[in-house]
């Protein structure tokens, strides 16, 4: 069970939560920045506690295999890549890098009838998209190495929005010592800004004020409807340098299992990002941000400034979660309050609704039935 751990009947009392960090299988996840995957080298990745070996063939096309040889479990990442075959370092079995199909067992004599091509190392569908290698982690997970072929993903790989063809891209990565749930609710939490992202040149504790935002349901998530960003927010201050403040609108979507899409538009200028929180293990996750933007394109050092600015934000969040994890180690009960933690509640309810629909084979029952206005101070 995710989530509710006994809700008090009082209308305005906080909900008590205990998280169990269930990881959602059956989705695409970012495995690593594309630039870290080079030809002729094997790389390791861990996604949802699933060990993967990744690489690129001669043509640069990426592949992902289960990082355990179907013979005796040796991680294939210790082996080597030759042409489009991965050779295990233990007994030299060779596998097609893309299909995982076994091509050679060196110890077999010519009269031994073992059907080599019926053996598979277990392969995962992967794509190079927006500067990341994405891997589809199927549900149910493959039954380990043996005879499994890759699953064809029923959903397309997520991508960052663009509003034109001339833009810059930047990405950032940070490892968080927290479950994917804490990573995600930390990302959608509006109330920490004045405290975590405080700086004299940016905002102080005094800039806190009341806000109202409208939210609407999306098929697998929810949207903070298009609005003018508040005057003490990051996008507003950046874009005010560029465009008429009244023309700025921003929309933020959260989509299961882990995607936060933001798009900000100000006349012909725009900034979009896709942030994901990827479960590495039950209690570790990784946050990756990819941003596309056409602001600051002509300003010398503009992209560098923008990147430094966002790196600072992500670092503040990372440090906060690292400290929070000290407290979480003792498994405290947690509270989610209205309205500032309502998006976090929707996240848990969505996750539960998704799992329930899977279990019962029925349509997913969305926790939101209509648009909702939330209010908080931040
Ligand atoms: S363990 Fe891989 S070939 Fe034997
Ligand atoms: Fe933050």
């Amino acid at each position: 069970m995710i989530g509710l751990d006994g809700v008090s009947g009082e209308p305005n009392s906080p909900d008590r939560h205990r998280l169990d960090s269930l990881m959602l299988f059956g989705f695409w996840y970012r495995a690593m920045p594309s630039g870290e995957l080079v030809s002729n080298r094997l790389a390791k990745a861990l996604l949802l506690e699933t060990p993967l070996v990744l690489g690129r063939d001669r043509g640069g096309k990426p592949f992902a295999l289960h990082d355990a040889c179907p013979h005796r479990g040796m991680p294939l990442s210790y082996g080597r890549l030759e042409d489009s075959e991965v050779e295990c370092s233990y007994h030299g079995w060779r596998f097609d890098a893309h299909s995982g199909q076994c091509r050679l067992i060196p110890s077999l004599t010519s009269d031994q009838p073992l059907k080599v091509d019926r053996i598979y190392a277990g392969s995962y569908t992967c794509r190079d998209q927006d500067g990341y290698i994405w891997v589809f982690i199927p549900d149910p997970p493959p039954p380990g190495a043996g005879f499994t072929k890759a699953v064809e993903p029923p959903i397309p790989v997520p991508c960052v929005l663009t509003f034109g063809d001339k833009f810059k891209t930047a990405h950032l990565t940070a490892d968080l010592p927290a479950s994917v749930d804490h990573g995600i609710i930390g990302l959608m939490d509006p109330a920490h800004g004045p405290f975590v992202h405080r700086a004299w040149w940016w905002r102080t504790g005094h800039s806190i004020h009341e806000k109202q935002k409208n939210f609407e349901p999306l098929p697998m998530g929810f949207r903070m409807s298009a609005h003018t960003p508040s005057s003490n927010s990051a996008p507003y201050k950046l874009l005010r340098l560029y465009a008429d403040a009244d023309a700025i609108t921003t929309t933020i979507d959260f989509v299961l299992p882990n995607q936060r899409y933001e798009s900000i538009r100000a006349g012909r200028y725009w900034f979009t990002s896709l942030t994901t929180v990827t479960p590495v293990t039950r209690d570790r996750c990784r946050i990756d941000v990819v941003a596309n933007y056409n602001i600051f394109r002509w300003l010398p050092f503009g992209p560098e400034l923008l990147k430094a600015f966002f790196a600072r934000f992500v670092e503040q969040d990372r440090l906060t979660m690292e400290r929070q994890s000290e407290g979480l180690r003792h498994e405290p009960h947690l509270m989610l309050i209205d309205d500032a933690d309502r998006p976090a509640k929707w996240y848990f309810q969505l996750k539960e609704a998704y799992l329930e629909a899977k279990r019962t084979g029925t349509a997913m029952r969305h926790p939101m039935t209509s648009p909702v206005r939330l209010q908080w101070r931040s």
Side-chain angles (χ1 to χ4, degrees):
M1 262 299 273
I2 309 162
L4 293 187
D5 192 56
V7 183
S8 156
E10 300 293 320
N12 288 319
S13 64
D15 288 350
R16 310 271 285 165
H17 273 250
R18 187 187 282 281
L19 311 186
D20 76 351
S21 335
L22 254 184
M23 302 179 289
L24 295 183
F25 289 75
F27 291 97
W28 288 94
Y29 288 98
R30 279 172 170 155
M32 62 172 62
S34 303
E36 290 178 17
L37 200 60
V38 294
S39 292
N40 287 322
R41 266 231 309 276
L42 295 172
K44 279 161 111 64
L46 193 60
L47 290 182
L48 290 77
E49 301 187 345
T50 307
L52 300 174
V53 53
L54 294 112
R56 286 187 194 277
D57 64 20
R58 273 223 190 111
K61 191 171 173 223
F63 62 84
L65 299 175
H66 198 78
D67 195 16
C69 179
H71 180 213
R72 300 249 296 278
M74 173 63 81
L76 291 171
S77 50
Y78 288 115
R80 61 196 185 101
L81 178 64
E82 210 168 279
D83 298 330
S84 284
E85 290 180 4
V86 175
E87 184 187 84
C88 180
S89 62
Y90 205 171
H91 312 94
W93 291 23
R94 291 179 79 133
F95 304 93
D96 179 275
H98 293 287
S99 68
Q101 191 173 35
C102 189
R103 294 280 185 239
L104 176 76
I105 296 182
S107 63
L108 287 179
T109 62
S110 56
D111 56 347
Q112 286 171 336
L114 180 65
K115 289 201 177 72
V116 167
D117 56 4
R118 287 191 52 225
I119 299 172
Y120 283 84
S123 70
Y124 293 82
T125 306
C126 64
R127 300 267 186 282
D128 214 331
Q129 175 75 37
D130 297 321
Y132 269 84
I133 304 294
W134 290 77
V135 177
F136 184 77
I137 304 291
D139 186 20
F147 302 97
T148 41
K149 294 184 191 176
V151 170
E152 235 357 273
I155 44 175
V157 67
C159 57
V160 192
L161 285 173
T162 55
F163 295 110
D165 27 82
K166 290 214 170 70
F167 57 89
K168 295 251 180 196
T169 295
H171 80 259
L172 279 177
T173 285
D175 290 304
L176 304 177
S179 73
V180 67
D181 288 343
H182 278 293
I184 286 173
I185 66 175
L187 199 69
M188 57 177 62
D189 162 19
H192 75 288
F195 303 94
V196 172
H197 303 300
R198 185 186 286 188
W200 65 265
W201 48 268
W202 175 244
R203 58 176 300 166
T204 63
H206 302 301
S207 71
I208 197 164
H209 64 259
E210 197 165 312
K211 289 170 189 169
Q212 293 190 346
K213 298 277 154 61
N214 296 319
F215 289 81
E216 56 193 284
L218 296 174
M220 289 283 277
F222 52 88
R223 164 171 297 170
M224 188 194 280
S225 315
H227 60 280
T228 302
S230 36
S231 57
N232 60 358
S233 77
Y236 179 86
K237 291 201 178 185
L238 280 174
L239 278 160
R240 198 175 48 175
L241 302 172
Y242 255 86
D244 176 11
D246 294 338
I248 303 176
T249 60
T250 171
T251 304
I252 300 173
D253 291 353
F254 173 78
V255 179
L256 279 183
N258 67 343
Q259 295 146 22
R260 178 191 192 270
Y261 295 85
E262 177 160 19
S263 52
I264 305 164
R265 305 192 69 171
R268 59 202 181 90
Y269 297 108
W270 53 271
F271 171 98
T272 56
S273 63
L274 170 54
T275 303
T276 52
V277 184
T278 303
V280 175
T281 62
R282 231 157 278 260
D283 50 14
R284 297 196 69 82
C285 64
R286 173 169 37 79
I287 182 164
D288 295 289
V289 188
V290 174
N292 289 338
Y293 51 92
N294 71 351
I295 53 170
F296 292 128
R297 232 163 30 100
W298 310 117
L299 191 74
F301 305 114
E304 286 76 10
L305 281 174
L306 197 64
K307 191 164 175 181
F309 186 85
F310 279 94
R312 187 183 160 115
F313 261 66
V314 171
E315 173 55 21
Q316 287 167 334
D317 285 326
R318 193 201 61 76
L319 181 65
T320 302
M321 287 186 204
E322 189 174 295
R323 291 174 174 167
Q324 182 193 19
S325 72
E326 286 178 31
L328 293 175
R329 226 169 279 148
H330 309 288
E331 297 189 11
H333 277 78
L334 308 170
M335 292 178 193
L336 294 177
I337 64 162
D338 280 330
D339 282 351
D341 292 330
R342 189 86 73 85
K345 290 187 192 181
W346 288 332
Y347 164 67
F348 288 116
Q349 289 165 350
L350 274 167
K351 202 169 163 182
E352 204 159 51
Y354 171 79
L355 290 167
E356 178 65 16
K358 264 216 134 141
R359 216 166 18 238
T360 56
T362 52
M364 182 168 148
R365 284 182 47 185
H366 202 289
M368 295 167 80
T369 48
S370 55
V372 181
R373 168 169 292 190
L374 302 185
Q375 297 185 62
W376 62 76
R377 283 167 49 79
S378 67

